[in-house]
Amino acid sequence: MELILALVVVLVLIVLLGLKIVPQSENYVVTRLGAYHRTLDAGVNVIVPFLDRVHSKVPVNDQVLNDIALEVVSADNVVFGAQLLVVYRIDNPEAAVFRVNKIDELVIGLVQSLVRSELGKVELDAVQSDRGSLNVALLEALEDAGQTYGIRISRSEITDVRLNETTQKAMAEVLAAERERRAAITRAEGVRRATELNADAELYEAQRRADGIRAIAQANAESNRMIAESLDSEGARDALIFQTARMQVEALEGLAKSSNAKLIMLPGGPSNSFREAAAILKEM
């Protein structure tokens, strides 16, 4: 009876040793007699006790490295510091366990190497102004490099760019010069525009004066044409002389009524006009 009880206890122990419950965030890499055998996924798994052994417990959730710092030389020979954040996940636990010793150090080394290579292709201004495109290029390069080791890098971000004091001073001078250049261009554009507007205004005024002179000349020409046509008709000349004499009489009458008029000298022209007008009225 005791022997049977002992056998039952041994069997229970063997079953318990062969029963492996894997959490959701991990995979177990199992070896058999020292060689890779299989990978246990999340859930309840059974292995052969004493032959199989859990070699490594590999996390399969996202891992974050946010303190990757390095010095970079840009395409325009500016030395600056860069801070990066990398998110990766182990897709192939077997490769991650047996091909590399320390995953984090591998990822940091890949990131530093590839970031120096990518950032060395562009100038400093592009690093600061176009981080989105650089992050995409870095991610593509890191994904290709990580596949060999069973790693999938899902995100890579340049979180900070640090400049030394000399570089900051030089950039400040460049920015000040650029602002002054833009201000000078703006002032020159304003002067040019004002000159153009003044010239347009003067041209418009001259055109309007020319249009007025042209209109007066046309009106005078039309008036002269009508007078010339009227003179060709019978009695038109006598009517014209009569109207001219009447206008002269009215002008003299107005002059005589003026309070400043003390002495009025009548020229010969108006007297002749009076006689011509009287003769015309007599004939009528």
Side-chain angles (χ1 to χ4, degrees), residues 224-244:
N224 293 334
R225 184 187 63 79
M226 294 178 66
I227 292 172
E229 291 178 353
S230 66
L231 289 175
D232 292 337
S233 62
E234 184 178 358
R237 183 177 178 279
D238 293 338
L240 179 60
I241 294 173
F242 177 77
Q243 292 293 337
T244 303

Side-chain angles (χ1 to χ4, degrees), residues 66-274:
N66 59 2
D67 56 352
I68 302 177
L70 69 159
E71 296 291 328
V72 182
V73 180
S74 64
D76 50 349
N77 295 322
V78 177
V79 179
F80 62 94
Q83 189 83 17
L84 295 101
L85 178 144
V86 175
V87 179
Y88 74 91
R89 175 183 294 179
I90 297 175
D91 281 347
N92 188 343
E94 175 191 357
V97 169
F98 294 108
R99 289 189 180 182
V100 63
N101 186 19
K102 296 180 180 180
I103 296 294
D104 286 354
E105 292 183 3
L106 169 67
V107 173
I108 292 173
L110 288 174
V111 169
Q112 290 178 336
S113 175
L114 292 174
V115 166
R116 285 194 178 97
S117 176
E118 292 295 330
L119 296 186
K121 299 176 183 178
V122 298
E123 297 182 354
L124 179 61
D125 290 341
V127 175
Q128 294 181 315
S129 62
D130 194 16
R131 292 189 188 180
S133 300
L134 289 174
N135 289 332
V136 172
L138 289 175
L139 182 59
E140 292 176 353
L142 290 171
E143 284 180 341
D144 294 337
Q147 288 178 355
T148 305
Y149 302 98
I151 302 169
R152 184 170 64 88
I153 299 175
S154 59
R155 193 170 186 86
S156 174
E157 296 284 345
I158 301 173
T159 57
D160 189 22
V161 174
R162 299 184 303 276
L163 306 176
N164 56 40
E165 185 177 353
T166 303
T167 304
Q168 289 179 350
K169 183 178 179 180
M171 290 188 66
E173 293 176 354
V174 171
L175 290 176
E178 179 64 18
R179 285 194 296 269
E180 180 60 28
R181 183 185 69 84
R182 293 181 180 179
I185 291 175
T186 302
R187 289 193 295 269
E189 287 289 339
V191 172
R192 182 180 66 84
R193 184 58 179 163
T195 303
E196 290 177 352
L197 291 175
N198 289 333
D200 291 342
E202 292 176 358
L203 178 61
Y204 178 77
E205 184 179 357
Q207 289 176 344
R208 297 299 295 174
R209 285 199 301 268
D211 292 340
I213 294 172
R214 188 181 300 109
I216 293 172
Q218 290 176 351
N220 290 333
E222 180 66 19
S223 176
N224 293 334
R225 184 187 63 79
M226 294 178 66
I227 292 172
E229 291 178 353
S230 66
L231 289 175
D232 292 337
S233 62
E234 184 178 358
R237 183 177 178 279
D238 293 338
L240 179 60
I241 294 173
F242 177 77
Q243 292 293 337
T244 303
R246 189 183 69 175
M247 292 172 61
Q248 290 179 347
V249 170
E250 292 176 352
L252 290 173
E253 182 181 359
L255 182 61
K257 291 180 179 179
S258 174
S259 59
N260 295 325
K262 302 301 182 182
L263 178 63
I264 300 176
M265 300 296 293
L266 295 177
S271 301
N272 295 333
S273 298
F274 296 156

